[in-house]
Amino acid sequence: MRILVVEDEKRISSFVRKGLEEQNFGVDVCADGNEAFLLATTQRYDAIVLDIMLPGRDGLSVLKQLRSQKHTVPVILLTARTELDDRIEGLNLGADDYLTKPFYVEELVARLQAVVRRVSGEKLSLLRAAGLEVNLITREVKRGDKPIKLTAREFSLLEYLMRSPGRVFTRTQILEHVWGYNFDPNTNLIDVHVQRLRKKISPDEKEQLIETLRGVGYRFKKT
Ligand code: CA
């Protein structure tokens, strides 16, 4: 994991660097707000530790501009004990967490691991393909801004196919995974569900997102 530490107090930045490097983080340090913004937008970091009072431009302004340009990198603000308004403003601007100085580097490490886990968890919880968005946590399905209502079974079927675009699943695999059957009920159970699901999720009849492979099974179209 690579972390950008933005802090103009040398004493703090060097103990943070040392502490993070001991935990096997890669660390870049910078002491100026303008340079921080440049680094944050040109390099890839897993998280940014951002002081508020900085030369160049302050941390809140860096954060604000990052978020306005849709940079979602997790940001932990470093604030002084007296800067309550700044903490609130920072969280409103899209900071993921904050630490009040002085702090233990162990605490910073724990916070960093938590925000990075949270962000990568969010990525895993969202499936996207062909304009379709499936949130595995809220179980909302959308095409663009338009919500799509699925039954629990349709949702499981869609999730199962959509997790592996391009991979063909046999009827037996689908029955086992979506219905929990280890036998084939010899009905058109799957076909009926696939037809219904297709109608709900496909933009039009010509563009089918779920493809039939005759005699083999079904697959979610690879885009
Ligand atoms: Ca400072």
Side-chain angles (χ1 to χ4, degrees):
M1 288 216 286
R2 211 163 149 229
I3 311 294
L4 175 62
V5 175
V6 187
E7 169 60 81
D8 58 322
E9 280 173 70
K10 272 238 154 59
R11 190 182 49 84
I12 299 180
S13 63
S14 62
F15 99 77
V16 167
R17 178 198 281 278
K18 186 165 165 278
L20 294 182
E21 284 177 349
E22 280 170 4
Q23 301 292 320
N24 296 319
F25 288 95
V27 180
D28 287 346
V29 170
C30 95
D32 175 281
N34 290 315
E35 194 193 333
F37 182 77
L38 188 71
L39 281 169
T41 49
T42 52
Q43 311 284 312
R44 210 196 64 78
Y45 293 105
D46 295 292
I48 299 178
V49 178
L50 184 60
D51 186 27
I52 291 184
M53 297 296 283
L54 291 167
R57 82 167 92 161
D58 70 68
L60 291 177
S61 138
V62 173
L63 173 65
K64 189 175 180 182
Q65 197 170 356
L66 284 175
R67 294 303 187 239
S68 73
Q69 296 186 7
K70 307 281 180 238
H71 285 279
T72 54
V73 59
V75 170
I76 297 183
L77 289 175
L78 298 182
T79 71
R81 208 164 272 293
T82 50
E83 295 171 334
L84 175 67
D85 290 347
D86 287 348
R87 289 203 288 276
I88 294 169
E89 190 184 349
L91 292 173
N92 286 336
L93 287 173
D96 295 83
D97 205 347
Y98 66 84
L99 265 180
T100 308
K101 296 185 209 177
F103 54 87
Y104 291 102
V105 81
E106 291 80 0
E107 183 164 16
L108 176 61
V109 168
R111 302 280 183 102
L112 278 171
Q113 284 166 341
V115 291
V116 170
R117 241 193 335 264
R118 200 156 66 214
V119 168
S120 56
E122 276 166 19
K123 273 184 207 143
L124 286 177
S125 68
L126 216 54
L127 301 176
R128 278 202 191 97
L132 198 65
E133 190 180 291
V134 177
N135 188 317
L136 301 178
I137 292 177
T138 63
R139 301 178 75 85
E140 286 169 317
V141 181
K142 289 189 295 189
R143 163 173 294 290
D145 290 334
K146 213 177 127 219
I148 298 173
K149 270 205 171 322
L150 298 183
T151 65
R153 206 67 91 180
E154 288 163 354
F155 187 94
S156 311
L157 178 59
L158 177 61
E159 178 188 348
Y160 186 50
L161 299 176
M162 204 175 166
R163 272 181 187 275
S164 314
R167 185 175 151 193
V168 183
F169 292 96
T170 65
R171 300 169 58 87
T172 312
Q173 285 172 321
I174 295 173
L175 278 168
E176 234 177 70
H177 189 90
V178 179
W179 276 267
Y181 291 172
N182 50 14
F183 60 94
D184 190 337
N186 285 319
T187 61
N188 57 354
L189 187 67
I190 295 179
D191 314 76
V192 169
H193 275 80
V194 166
Q195 291 312 328
R196 274 214 313 253
L197 184 56
R198 269 182 182 152
K199 273 203 187 118
K200 292 185 178 181
I201 64 167
S202 295
D204 58 64
E205 271 180 32
K206 269 177 260 162
E207 197 191 337
Q208 289 302 344
L209 298 178
I210 298 174
E211 301 172 321
T212 308
L213 281 96
R214 253 169 229 300
V216 187
Y218 293 102
R219 75 174 165 209
F220 193 87
K221 191 175 171 183
K222 197 169 183 155
T223 46

